Amino acid sequence: MTAASSGKRPRVRFAPSPTGFLHVGGARTALFNWLYARKYDGDFLLRIEDTDRQRSTDESTRAIFEGLEWLGLSWDEEVVYQGANVARHYADAHRLLDAGAAYRDFTPASELERLRAEAEARGDAFKFDRTMAELSPEALAEKLANNEPYAIRFRVPEGTTEWPDLVHGRIAFPNKDIEDFIILRSDGTPVYNMAVVSDDIAMGITLVMRGDDHISNTPKQILLYRALGAEVPQFGHVPMIHGTDGKKLSKRHGATAVGDYQHQGLLPQAMLNFLALLGWSPGDDTEVMTVPELIERFSVHGLHAKAAVFDTKKLEWMNGQHLAQIPIDQLAAIVAPLVERAGLSSVADLQARHDWFCGVLELLRIRARLTDEIVAQSRPFFVESVEYDPEAVSKQWRDAAATADILDATRERLASLETWEPAAMEEGLRKLAEERGISGGKIFQPLRVALTGLTVSPGIFDVLLYVGRERSLARIAEAVAYLRQ
RNA sequence: GGCUCCAUCGUCUAUCGGUUAGGACGCGACCCUUUCAAGGUCGAGAGACGGGUUCGAUUCCCGUUGGAGCUACCA
């Protein structure tokens, strides 16, 4: 009977090793586990696999927490640190030894290395030969009495080890291809597969969902579960994420840490949405989904077996979609600190004129893909006077005298308006254009440069509205003076 | 080399034997338009190859090719 069919509450886990930042591949594995737990009313646990003392750092552990928190992938129960459980791993390994499911191997590591190198030189595959470790009772007693170091190896039985993988279907490994692997090093520390199985049993994990790269560990782990007399959980191996060259995603593909995207101005829900679609599909054409929708629609049936290529273009598009649909208050809360950091305003000030700020955001969100772009484009709405982009000047202010003349007339017309609202502005300026026998663009474009210093901005009347009457008129006057100097 | 997994447009994917093989990103064109976006319309673009099974295969099976992962007293 499998864990799933026994009707127990599902318990899944994400088990990263703290040897670097939180990678997008890891984040997606975490996401699938989290979605599974939320969807099927289970527990999502977090285990830090810090048994590799050489490479594990507290900084990495913090980075993993921060990444998961930013994404909103909250875990249930206390974080489990694998390193705290080595005594149990040791005991489990010895339990296997005592039961005859494992044996002592006194072969020095250096000897193993030598044999491996030799086999490789011959072009052969090295596989540990069980008979190498066979000792007479007397020899064993002597080595034990001499306190000679030994590793404990698992005795792989005959047969075939197979399991119904949640995403791949049946996967089978002939046991003859699995060597008697070490479960406890000669220094008494546990090796990965031993620690993982011991912990997953202790944590009551019912489904192990992890990356494809662990498929070849699975038969070893299943053998361990059985030898330990534990119930074998379900397994599901999700595909890897590749770079555009089809290789496993790595640093040379550019940004691969979720923190990189956080700092580039990605919304966590967009990141989650994008990641979810890499290796999973709701079954129809739906693409843009909120987190609750993701939970609602998640199903193991939609999981794929094929590796997916990480396409940052689509990620940015996805972010633009979320930027446009997220509740404006939520966006304001995210962007306000960024505006403050850019030195344009303060969070307190933005709170004081919340409606105005949200209005500006409404103008900018639709034409931005990253929050960073929103911040950059918000500049004209905050500063007193703008700097003129040389390109904008040469393109829209070619004839200085004529432009100054038009801007002056524009300023006068706007100043004469009784109300400062877009419809009136447009009516006034269109009338001005008509009087002068020119197109509206001949007024709007130079005006845009005067107000923003740029050739690109939201609609000109919205800019006037949100920059405000006094500041707008002052800026136009400033532009006129600049052109006439 | 051995073992395992994978294979629909450039990319992400729909199809759970019968479709003019659909959608999205990106790309191109057009529309909208005061700029840029957004939006709308249209276009180019795919079942790796070879065998079976079947009335009928993208779909099921086998092989080939290609790609990926693993192959430590790392995790």
Side-chain angles (χ1 to χ4, degrees), chain A residues 34-331:
Chain A
W34 185 82
L35 286 174
Y36 186 94
R38 294 297 169 263
K39 170 78 180 194
Y40 300 109
D41 192 31
D43 299 314
F44 171 66
L45 311 183
L46 177 60
R47 181 171 74 228
I48 301 295
E49 308 213 320
D50 55 352
T51 48
D52 184 347
R53 296 286 180 206
Q54 301 294 312
R55 295 193 296 155
S56 299
T57 66
D58 290 346
E59 193 191 347
S60 297
T61 302
R62 272 198 303 279
I64 289 165
F65 291 162
E66 277 166 24
L68 291 175
E69 277 161 8
W70 176 63
L71 289 169
L73 301 180
S74 52
W75 54 91
D76 305 305
E77 305 182 9
E78 291 279 294
V79 174
V80 173
Y81 289 88
Q82 191 160 64
N85 299 322
V86 290
R88 188 188 63 242
H89 306 152
Y90 178 91
D92 280 343
H94 275 273
R95 203 142 66 76
L96 259 17
L97 178 64
D98 295 343
Y103 56 90
R104 296 183 179 85
D105 175 18
F106 288 90
T107 316
S110 57
E111 170 73 359
L112 252 20
E113 240 169 79
R114 211 202 79 226
L115 291 168
R116 206 181 309 279
E118 266 180 27
E120 209 168 301
R122 284 195 310 269
D124 290 344
F126 174 78
K127 184 168 167 258
F128 184 79
D129 182 355
R130 189 176 296 166
T131 60
M132 279 177 62
E134 273 174 9
L135 253 33
S136 65
E138 299 76 38
L140 173 62
E142 190 189 326
K143 284 180 184 292
L144 249 21
N146 289 344
N147 262 327
E148 282 188 39
Y150 59 87
I152 296 180
R153 280 186 189 269
F154 183 73
R155 191 187 306 277
V156 175
E158 306 265 290
T160 299
T161 303
E162 56 180 37
W163 73 95
D165 195 273
L166 229 46
V167 348
H168 293 272
R170 187 155 298 270
I171 297 181
F173 281 79
N175 289 7
K176 65 174 174 55
D177 294 324
I178 306 170
E179 78 170 4
D180 284 354
F181 54 95
I182 287 174
I183 53 178
L184 199 72
R185 298 187 187 93
S186 49
D187 65 0
T189 60
V191 145
Y192 174 74
N193 284 312
M194 183 73 246
V196 167
V197 170
S198 182
D199 285 349
D200 282 337
I201 292 170
M203 292 164 75
I205 300 302
T206 61
L207 163 64
V208 175
M209 192 160 27
R210 75 237 296 197
D212 250 356
D213 49 345
H214 285 288
I215 285 181
S216 55
N217 280 320
T218 305
K220 297 178 185 175
Q221 295 183 7
I222 288 174
L223 258 13
L224 251 20
Y225 277 98
R226 292 199 188 128
L228 254 10
E231 189 177 12
V232 179
Q234 279 193 295
F235 289 94
H237 291 89
V238 300
M240 315 234 65
I241 297 179
H242 286 172
T244 44
D245 58 356
K247 304 260 194 260
K248 189 174 172 179
L249 200 63
S250 70
K251 277 178 205 151
R252 72 196 165 73
H253 291 104
T256 53
V258 307
D260 294 339
Y261 292 97
Q262 177 181 1
H263 297 126
Q264 277 174 27
L266 260 288
L267 255 25
Q269 55 265 61
M271 190 76 203
L272 252 18
N273 191 169
F274 176 74
L275 250 20
L277 258 21
L278 238 42
W280 172 78
S281 159
D284 58 23
D285 292 336
T286 313
E287 296 212 275
V288 181
M289 288 170 271
T290 62
V291 174
E293 282 166 344
L294 246 22
I295 295 170
E296 169 65 29
R297 307 210 50 170
F298 184 76
S299 145
V300 292
H301 181 76
L303 252 16
H304 298 160
K306 196 184 88 172
V309 174
F310 194 82
D311 180 4
T312 52
K313 280 269 182 25
K314 189 151 187 177
L315 207 209
E316 286 187 13
W317 167 78
M318 182 66 80
N319 201 55
Q321 296 296 307
H322 281 268
L323 233 32
Q325 69 156 47
I326 182 179
I328 196 71
D329 288 336
Q330 208 179 318
L331 183 63

Side-chain angles (χ1 to χ4, degrees), chain A residues 13-29:
Chain A
R13 75 339 187 249
F14 174 53
S17 52
T19 55
F21 41 68
L22 178 63
H23 189 273
V24 292
R28 197 200 46 169
T29 300

Side-chain angles (χ1 to χ4, degrees), chain A residues 339 342-345 356 360 364 372-387 451-454 467 471 475:
Chain A
V339 170
L344 295 172
S345 182
W356 174 84
V360 171
L364 301 178
D372 287 11
E373 291 169 12
I374 293 181
V375 174
Q377 287 162 13
S378 72
R379 188 172 193 86
F381 296 96
F382 288 105
V383 295
E384 263 322 300
S385 54
V386 298
E387 278 177 32
L451 291 171
T452 67
L454 307 167
V467 168
R471 256 195 316 173
R475 269 186 210 174

